[in-house]
Amino acid sequence: MTAVLTRAAPPEPQLRRNRRRWGWSLAGLALVAWSLAGSGLFSGPVVNPAGSGEFGRFLAAALRPELDAGFLAVVAEATLVTLAYAVLGATLSVLLGALGAPLVARAGWGRRRAGWLATRAALALPRGLHEAVWGLLLLNVLGLDPWVGVLAIAVPYGAITAKVFADLLDEVPRGGHDALLAAGAGRGTAVLYGLLPAAAGGLLSYSFYRLECAVRSAVVLGLIGAGGLGYQLALSFSSLRWAQVWTTVYALAALCLAADVAGRAVRRRVTAPPPGGAAFRRDRLLTGAVVAVLALAVGAAWYLALSPAALFSARTAQQLEYVVSAAWPPTTDGDLLGTVGSTALVTVQMSVLGIVFATAGAVALAGFAARPRVPAGPARRALGVLTRLGLLLLRAVPPPVWALVLLFVLLPGVLPGALAIGVYTLGVLGRLVGEVVEEADRRSGEALRASGASPAGSWLYGTAPAVAGPVLALALYRWEVAIRDTVLVGLLGAGGIGVLLSAETSSFDWPAVATVLTAIVLLTFLVDLVSDRARAALR
């Protein structure tokens, strides 16, 4: 009897895991149903037929962009400004992340879990606010200074980079680290010499990924007045000059493509170094990439005429003191709290619908976005190139611009904002899901094809199960990012808590601004927590 009971015990953990998976799956479906109900899709008209003509003119202008020499010169100058903000912001964020990672890594705290949790919690504020929100706050402190754009990227990206760097440090083998501690070295020294060399490749790879993201963030900051391509895009859009809009969009796509290609080359070199046993630090391509970025950062600082004195001037100190003192204590008025709660729910609904749309689109396009492993015909290669270029255009245009375009054909509400988030996120997820398909184990699908199954059947029953887990994990991760993007869409009037933040900032009601910002940080933290638990349950 004892032996029988002992053999029967192991299935229980698997049963609990299955129950958790079913529970989280049902909760996810309920969340999607609630978001659909709140979108108004089934309760009334959502289409605006009167705007179809303008929407058609917008699409038609894609084939005839503005090519006037004077406007091209303006776009070229705006491109340099965007690149300068991106390079400086990314470089500074990597520096902040490198300095903060040892403080956030679990290895640096040992058994002192409370200290480790406190440092992690301290990153919630800078990570929880979108770059555009930081830009608005810094604008009130620094005025029209180029430091606004640089710091608006560096502050949230620095916190995110510190967390990721710390996770990378915690994942490498700890033999050298433990040996240094046993020899009497301090924890900081043990992390520096025992963990950092082993994690160097992953740290460099992620640093170049941050540069790719910084390009898109620099464009977003232009929409709120920081200059560059985003500012030019906003000017052309507000005057309905669609040919100019598409010229700017193509310039954005070219800049994003250059950043994507450079980042992909560096990451591939890190994960698959050249043969011959050359050490990572001696790789000429990686060394040249780092030197090039540092040179670009120096050139960007000169081009933007950054002055460190602007950060430490008396005026800056006075403005910072005024904003902080004016914002404390935050407003606890019942009417405002009720509005914060209702707009936060709208923000969640927009983000959920956006992620569902993006995930469905990414899965549908994954077969075309993925580069084939075997030689393909010219039609398949052309379709793949067009798909990848289309995804690049989708993620090159910021979500607020997609929201403004969709408002031509959709009535104001949750749906335009959700679709704007979905279209932009489709551009990002489509690329990531395509890479997952490229790297997936296809032996099951190939075996099904060899046994006579159709291409669709071999994909559905062979390849799809292997990529389902990574795709769900990517979708949940992008949900965390979508919450921040939804706030950005709201800042420009598409709905959600961002609209409330924009209104309170415009009226300089700093206590109310502090309340809304606190709600945004808490909302982001809760979504991060739910997403993390869901990924763990579905793993």
Side-chain angles (χ1 to χ4, degrees), residues 394-423:
L394 295 185
R395 65 178 180 268
V397 179
V401 176
W402 285 121
L404 293 174
V405 169
L406 289 168
L407 282 171
F408 284 131
V409 293
L410 296 175
L411 296 175
V414 172
L415 196 58
L419 289 178
I421 296 296
V423 169

Side-chain angles (χ1 to χ4, degrees), residues 61 235-246:
L235 288 178
S236 299
F237 196 99
S238 62
S239 57
L240 304 183
R241 296 179 180 178
W242 302 129
Q244 292 185 1
V245 167
W246 280 105

Side-chain angles (χ1 to χ4, degrees), residues 207-532:
S207 298
F208 275 87
Y209 171 70
R210 277 291 111 192
L211 178 60
E212 300 173 33
C213 298
V215 170
R216 292 190 284 270
S217 295
V219 174
V220 169
L221 291 171
L223 294 174
I224 61 171
L229 287 170
Y231 182 67
Q232 185 58 50
L233 185 62
L235 288 178
S236 299
F237 196 99
S238 62
S239 57
L240 304 183
R241 296 179 180 178
W242 302 129
Q244 292 185 1
V245 167
W246 280 105
T247 299
T248 308
V249 167
Y250 291 143
L252 284 173
L255 191 57
C256 290
L257 178 62
D260 287 354
V261 169
R264 182 189 289 262
V266 169
R267 290 195 297 275
R268 284 182 174 175
R269 196 58 168 258
V270 169
T271 56
F280 163 75
R281 62 180 178 277
R282 298 173 187 167
D283 191 308
R284 292 182 179 179
L285 187 147
L286 297 179
T287 302
V290 172
V291 171
V293 171
L294 293 177
L296 282 173
V298 173
W302 170 81
Y303 182 75
L304 294 176
L306 287 181
S307 173
L311 298 177
F312 306 102
S313 67
R315 178 191 175 280
T316 299
Q318 291 173 356
Q319 283 296 111
L320 180 61
E321 181 182 2
Y322 165 74
V323 170
V324 173
S325 60
W328 189 263
T331 297
T332 56
D333 178 70
D335 292 338
L336 177 62
L337 293 179
T339 305
V340 167
S342 61
T343 53
L345 293 178
V346 171
T347 298
V348 172
Q349 290 175 331
M350 289 170 61
S351 66
V352 169
L353 293 179
I355 287 299
V356 170
F357 173 82
T359 304
V363 171
L365 296 174
F368 304 114
R371 292 172 173 81
R373 295 183 181 179
V374 296
R380 170 64 180 83
R381 291 198 302 270
L383 186 58
V385 171
L386 290 176
T387 301
R388 289 188 289 273
L389 287 177
L391 293 174
L392 176 65
L393 282 176
L394 295 185
R395 65 178 180 268
V397 179
V401 176
W402 285 121
L404 293 174
V405 169
L406 289 168
L407 282 171
F408 284 131
V409 293
L410 296 175
L411 296 175
V414 172
L415 196 58
L419 289 178
I421 296 296
V423 169
Y424 172 78
T425 307
L426 173 58
V428 179
L429 266 184
R431 172 198 168 188
L432 295 176
V433 173
E435 292 177 353
V436 168
V437 173
E438 290 175 12
E439 300 169 0
D441 186 355
R442 300 188 184 180
R443 288 176 295 183
S444 298
E446 292 169 355
L448 289 172
R449 289 289 301 274
S451 63
S454 65
S458 63
W459 162 260
L460 184 62
Y461 295 103
T463 305
V467 302
V471 169
L472 283 175
L474 286 172
L476 288 168
Y477 167 72
R478 287 304 307 182
W479 183 34
E480 303 170 15
V481 181
I483 280 289
R484 300 176 181 88
D485 288 338
T486 305
V487 174
L488 166 65
V489 168
L491 281 174
L492 298 183
I497 199 170
V499 173
L500 182 60
L501 177 63
S502 178
E504 301 299 348
T505 304
S506 300
S507 61
F508 300 101
D509 188 349
W510 294 114
V513 169
T515 300
V516 178
L517 290 178
T518 302
I520 292 173
V521 172
L522 291 175
L523 178 63
T524 305
F525 175 77
L526 289 174
V527 169
D528 287 355
L529 181 62
V530 171
S531 174
D532 182 69

Side-chain angles (χ1 to χ4, degrees), residues 76-163:
E77 183 179 357
T79 302
L80 290 177
V81 173
T82 297
L83 182 61
Y85 279 132
V87 171
L88 279 173
T91 302
L92 187 54
S93 71
V94 170
L95 177 60
L96 293 173
L99 293 175
L103 301 176
V104 184
R106 185 187 295 270
W109 289 94
R111 297 179 180 275
R112 295 172 293 178
R113 184 174 176 81
W116 175 73
L117 290 174
T119 56
R120 288 267 173 157
L123 297 179
L125 176 60
R127 286 175 54 234
L129 300 181
H130 193 279
E131 303 89 78
V133 177
W134 279 109
L136 289 175
L137 296 177
L138 291 167
L139 194 63
N140 286 279
V141 175
L142 298 173
L144 296 175
D145 192 279
W147 276 112
V148 171
V150 175
L151 292 179
I153 296 174
V155 171
Y157 277 19
I160 295 171
T161 304
K163 179 180 180 295

